[in-house]
Amino acid sequence: MLIQGKPSTTIWPDPDGEGVFILDQTRLPHVVAPVLLRDLGDAAKAIKDMWVRGAPLIGVTAAYGVALAMRQEAADAFLHRAVEVLRATRPTAVNLNWALARMLAFLGQMPEELRRDAALVMAKKMAADDIACNEAIGEHGLALIRAAREKRGGAPVRILTHCNAGWLATVDWGTATAPIYKAQAAGVDLHVFVDETRPRNQGASLTAFELGQQNVPHTLIVDNAGGHLMQQGEVDLVIVGADRIAANGDACNKIGTYLKALAAKDCGVPFYVAAPVSTFDFSLTEGRLIPIEERAQEEVTYISGAAANGEVVTVLLAPKTTPARNPGFDVTPARLVSGIVTEKGVFAADKEALAALNSAK
């Protein structure tokens, strides 16, 4: 996708071979700041401190993290240590474990002297695969947007998103936004309502940023406005991403997604989850088994933004002595999900349909 009119991705190898570049997403939308990751510690910090975020991008960054580790030392013990260090960074996004398992299986069967170059080749392949996967999600989701346009008699399709499941959460295209970008390219008129997504405001800072860069019509709304807009008939469909999906179709996504799904169900608005097959955790029978990350309370009690002079500052919102809880995710039951959009097609959110997807992958 585009940043300042130039095609961009969220992660790319340094042409000089010094490491891997990422976009520091904690500084967006006010500062576009590439950061060079040089070693395993840098990659782990980038994931843990949310310089990169979004399940697919976390997985690819972890793959590059293993490749950076193999530049330091290629012995079996260090390979396994690198995997464990990266695995400990974020507990909820299943793509992290998926990517690490793939790298470990690939590198574990080859001589140590080949691992340095082979690890980078595999990480690059996983990045390219992610782009292709998300573009395919876009094609399948485009059909849903076209159907909504027909129902609207050709009027612009109004889509609600939550958090950021855009290209900034992947290598390119995004998951929930890929159908939007495909629709834009196909000449389908649409308008996106962007949830701010407290407490880290990924909707306000990231989704709004990338939609603006791509010239997609959009409006930022506070988190609690979505249900009202649905009641007023101003939303035609909801598309969100996911960090982990259980075998029965329960979908874990950024905190607040469950409330949007409840409102959509009550208002008769289709609610779709867009995610690659790698986001499914078929070892979990239902969503209540998904580990939910509890993040620092300061994310709730403080907020960052640009001051009038352009300086990015952090300010306290709550009384200093007020404690806060900060669960990062919630689980939307499969009964509230109209369908799951994957690179393989759109599937019903039930264990029978998803079992067929699992057997075919």
Side-chain angles (χ1 to χ4, degrees), residues 60-75:
V60 172
T61 304
Y64 274 115
V66 173
L68 292 174
M70 293 300 92
R71 287 160 36 110
Q72 298 171 255
E73 183 180 335

Side-chain angles (χ1 to χ4, degrees), residues 33-115:
V35 175
L36 181 63
L37 309 180
R38 297 179 181 273
D39 55 26
L40 170 63
D42 287 348
K45 182 175 179 59
I47 297 171
K48 184 175 178 61
D49 291 352
M50 294 181 70
W51 298 355
V52 296
R53 17 73 51 221
L57 180 56
I58 287 172
V60 172
T61 304
Y64 274 115
V66 173
L68 292 174
M70 293 300 92
R71 287 160 36 110
Q72 298 171 255
E73 183 180 335
D76 279 346
F78 195 70
L79 171 60
H80 285 273
R81 176 175 175 268
V83 167
E84 291 310 311
V85 166
L86 291 162
R87 181 176 285 134
T89 54
R90 299 289 303 275
T92 300
V94 72
N95 299 66
L96 176 63
N97 282 331
W98 171 83
L100 291 172
R102 186 173 176 185
M103 291 295 287
L104 185 59
F106 175 69
L107 296 172
Q109 49 80 41
M110 69 175 56
E112 292 178 2
E113 62 268 20
L114 299 180
R115 288 176 179 170

